Amino acid sequence: MSRPLILILGDQLSETLDVLTEAPDDALIALSEVSAEGQYVPHHPQKIVMLLSAMRHFADTLRDKGYQVHYSALDDDDNRHDLLEEAERLAEAYACDEIRVTHPGEWRLFERIQRRGTRWRLYPDNRFYCSIDAFGEWMAGRKRCRMEDFYRHMRKQTGLLMCEGEPAGGQWNFDHDNRAPIDQGLDFPTPPRHRMDATTQAVAELVTTHFGEHFGTLDGFNWAVTRRQALGDLRHFIAHALVDFGTYQDAISDREPLLYHSRLAAAMNIGLLSPQEVCEAVETAWQAGRAPINAAEGFIRQILGWREYVRGIYWQRMPGYKQENRLNARRGLPAFYWHGDTDLRCLQRAIEMTRDNAYAHHIQRLMVTGNFALLCGVSPAALCDWYLAVYADAFEWVELPNTLGMTLYADGGYLGSKPYCASGKYIDRMSDHCRHCRYDVKQVTGDDACPFNSLYWHFLERHRERLKGNQRMKLIYGSWDKMAQSRREAILTQANAFLDRLDTEPPYGRGEHAEGYRRH
């Protein structure tokens, strides 16, 4: 009789995985902390603590359920510090002739496993609404690939927010109701505090020793590391934040990092919560009259629509997708992304919140740090690795398409129909940052002018040949062309002067991981 070793990766902490439910009684379950996974990009210390503590708690849960578990700790003397090599070492030690693992979420591991030979057996990841194969079937023969089409397909398939075959509320998408700006009179709910138990405290000390030079602080750590804590976060969101989530989901606050956002993505992405139970809880709240349709639909669209969609795109387009750079962006990452020392208030606060919380909500990522990188021509490799490193919920299958495709338009419009570029006007409308900034958002040129304004027009002029035919960009180019020649020249001169002064890391080549990360 063969005996399998079942390798559970750190973002697969779910008891319902097929690889676990189909495991024979004598199977060895292996979880491994390895230094390579904490260093291939300089992950935020809070992210590493969350993952390692969650792994240790999950191992205890499996032991309590009767599984035989081997846990390789980071400071074990015989730890090979590579996931696949450690699994093979354990397979030899425990006389296991097969290694089973759920399909990993990152291409780099998937590709390595594929090369390891027949001893390794991949199981599908059943934690998503749409399998990789099902997404491929949906994509087959399509001339146009858009999230909204996929989202409607998934609504029909799952029945979420559907009433007798029609969308609840009479329309598929309530996004126009979900763009209210920040209101100074708002009172935001405080999330539950998760006590750091002995396990988490021990992990925090370990991470400080091994990864203490990484960007980010452990002060204020408050991530769910058990399923019980994650369920508590879900209940709190439903009870206290969902009702206003939709209306203010695009708003940005100078003082509050969370607003009405759930911060459940990390728990879903590592397996403590399933997307199904999260979406069903939101739908139940709407059905009970505890949340309006725009909030329920807006939240479910982020999971059932966007989250599933970008995963499908990732596995359809990799590995070539990671090499995309259609705008030929070559600038290194601005140095202040690692320390926040900038007088651009919106960027300063987004980076400080990221440093303190390993979190910034989607509009801060898209329209502040991402928009600035787009306008400056930052290399996709540099920004993608930064996002992957600094956010607790960032795993490549979800991070790469969002950053490379949506934020940087580096795939030439495959993921999104237009670049998400904006001047300072957008940030002023959606946030209260500008009132605290040393720059004047209403000025385009001059010493006090908001840099976003000139950079915006500079970006459009720089990429005119590629973008001028886009129907959604014609009005913008019309406005630019109506300006006096002297005005346009002054704006471009202003932008060039700013870019010349911008302190960046060395130009970032695709596929590299800059050693300079470690010095931050």
Side-chain angles (χ1 to χ4, degrees):
M1 292 290 289
S2 63
R3 184 190 190 195
L5 179 143
I6 297 174
L7 175 62
I8 303 296
L9 303 179
D11 59 349
Q12 298 175 349
L13 309 181
S14 171
E15 294 178 53
T16 61
L17 293 171
D18 288 345
V19 75
L20 279 176
T21 60
E22 297 176 14
D25 292 340
D26 66 343
L28 175 73
I29 313 300
L31 293 95
S32 300
E33 302 172 359
V34 297
S35 58
E37 292 302 299
Q39 294 174 336
Y40 70 92
V41 294
H43 294 290
H44 196 296
Q46 289 193 29
K47 181 180 185 179
I48 303 175
V49 170
M50 178 193 70
L51 280 163
L52 300 191
S53 180
M55 287 170 62
R56 293 186 180 195
H57 283 96
F58 188 67
D60 288 341
T61 297
L62 293 181
R63 291 188 186 100
D64 291 343
K65 296 288 179 73
Y67 290 98
Q68 181 181 353
V69 178
H70 180 101
Y71 194 93
S72 299
L74 195 66
D75 50 1
D76 285 351
D77 291 338
D78 51 0
N79 189 329
R80 291 187 179 174
H81 290 289
D82 176 273
L83 280 173
L84 307 193
E85 292 180 11
E86 180 67 2
E88 291 178 345
R89 179 184 76 83
L90 295 176
E92 293 294 334
Y94 285 90
C96 298
D97 54 3
E98 183 180 60
I99 301 174
R100 302 179 185 179
V101 61
T102 297
H103 195 295
E106 297 195 1
W107 179 270
R108 64 186 179 86
L109 283 179
F110 172 74
E111 186 177 44
R112 288 187 63 204
I113 291 170
Q114 293 288 89
R115 295 199 302 261
R116 299 306 266 213
T118 57
R119 186 182 192 183
W120 285 76
R121 180 180 172 191
L122 277 172
Y123 276 65
D125 192 338
N126 63 355
R127 296 174 299 160
F128 294 85
Y129 278 103
C130 186
S131 70
I132 295 171
D133 289 342
F135 188 87
E137 292 171 4
W138 176 81
M139 282 278 293
R142 289 182 177 271
K143 295 181 179 179
R144 188 187 80 154
C145 175
R146 287 291 176 258
M147 191 280 289
E148 183 67 23
D149 298 332
F150 173 75
Y151 172 54
R152 295 184 184 191
H153 166 74
M154 293 303 295
R155 286 273 296 276
K156 294 173 183 176
Q157 188 174 83
T158 62
L160 279 168
L161 296 181
M162 298 293 291
C163 299
E164 298 181 353
E166 296 297 324
Q171 58 194 60
W172 293 101
N173 188 310
F174 288 83
D175 198 38
H176 67 274
D177 296 325
N178 293 347
R179 298 171 182 166
I182 191 70
D183 183 335
Q184 295 305 307
L186 293 173
D187 185 19
F188 305 114
T190 302
R193 288 297 310 177
H194 299 306
R195 181 182 62 84
M196 290 183 71
D197 63 10
T199 297
T200 306
Q201 289 175 358
V203 168
E205 293 173 5
L206 191 69
V207 169
T208 299
T209 299
H210 290 270
F211 308 104
E213 77 278 13
H214 289 191
F215 167 83
T217 175
L218 282 177
D219 298 339
F221 177 89
N222 192 33
W223 292 97
V225 296
T226 67
R227 176 161 168 78
R228 180 177 180 180
Q229 289 177 340
L231 288 169
D233 284 346
L234 174 58
R235 288 191 297 269
H236 181 273
F237 171 68
I238 298 293
H240 301 287
L242 176 60
V243 65
D244 291 307
F245 165 79
T247 303
Y248 297 104
Q249 69 170 297
D250 286 0
I252 308 172
S253 170
D254 195 78
R255 58 185 174 85
E256 296 285 346
L258 277 185
L259 288 78
Y260 300 106
H261 292 270
S262 72
R263 209 180 61 153
L264 297 174
M268 282 192 290
N269 291 351
I270 67 174
L272 299 182
L273 295 173
S274 74
Q276 291 86 354
E277 68 187 329
V278 173
C279 287
E280 288 166 10
V282 169
E283 182 184 48
T284 298
W286 166 72
Q287 290 170 336
R290 292 184 280 119
I293 185 64
N294 70 304
E297 187 279 319
F299 187 83
I300 286 174
R301 179 165 18 102
Q302 287 194 0
I303 298 174
L304 180 67
W306 194 252
R307 182 176 186 265
E308 298 280 330
Y309 178 70
V310 297
R311 177 178 182 258
I313 293 295
Y314 178 83
W315 288 106
Q316 284 289 307
R317 304 286 288 184
M318 285 294 282
Y321 195 70
K322 194 170 184 176
Q323 312 304 319
E324 292 276 15
N325 189 2
R326 301 291 182 90
L327 297 183
N328 196 30
R330 300 294 177 187
R331 191 178 300 275
L333 189 75
F336 64 74
Y337 274 56
W338 293 111
H339 52 67
D341 185 13
T342 172
D343 51 8
L344 284 149
R345 181 69 177 191
C346 56
L347 284 158
Q348 177 193 32
R349 291 301 293 136
I351 293 164
E352 288 173 345
M353 290 177 184
T354 299
R355 175 199 65 201
D356 295 343
N357 306 302
Y359 175 85
H361 70 67
H362 69 286
I363 296 299
Q364 287 175 300
R365 303 186 201 190
L366 178 64
M367 301 308 298
V368 180
T369 52
N371 181 33
F372 184 79
L374 171 68
L375 299 183
C376 292
V378 171
S379 158
L383 191 69
C384 286
D385 275 1
W386 186 76
Y387 279 141
L388 185 61
V390 302
Y391 293 120
D393 56 15
F395 297 88
E396 194 177 75
W397 64 266
V398 66
E399 176 275 326
L400 181 67
N402 270 297
T403 307
L404 186 147
M406 186 178 189
T407 302
L408 294 180
Y409 203 69
D411 62 2
Y414 184 83
L415 193 72
S417 59
K418 66 178 286 294
Y420 277 87
C421 56
S423 68
K425 289 181 180 179
Y426 176 88
I427 297 170
D428 188 34
R429 182 170 69 252
M430 299 306 298
S431 80
D432 54 353
H433 288 315
C434 296
R435 70 186 63 182
H436 303 289
C437 189
R438 87 101 169 147
Y439 292 108
D440 185 346
V441 71
K442 293 182 173 59
Q443 293 187 32
V444 181
T445 58
D447 292 343
D448 296 326
C450 173
F452 276 91
N453 294 336
S454 60
L455 290 172
Y456 172 72
W457 293 115
H458 187 272
F459 169 81
L460 292 174
E461 180 61 25
R462 197 162 75 240
H463 299 293
R464 172 186 283 270
E465 289 306 308
R466 176 174 290 277
L467 300 177
K468 67 181 181 181
N470 189 310
Q471 290 294 324
R472 299 183 66 188
M473 306 292 288
K474 284 190 174 182
L475 284 177
I476 299 170
Y477 277 106
S479 297
W480 173 242
D481 291 339
K482 288 176 184 177
M483 292 185 195
Q485 180 68 21
S486 59
R487 175 68 168 162
R488 295 201 300 270
E489 290 176 356
I491 291 172
L492 297 179
T493 298
Q494 176 91 10
N496 282 322
F498 178 86
L499 292 172
D500 287 343
R501 297 192 305 270
L502 187 62
D503 182 19
T504 65
E505 293 186 335
Y508 200 96
R510 169 56 67 194
E512 298 172 357
H513 294 294
E515 287 301 317
Y517 273 143
R518 305 289 156 68
R519 69 176 180 268
H520 300 297

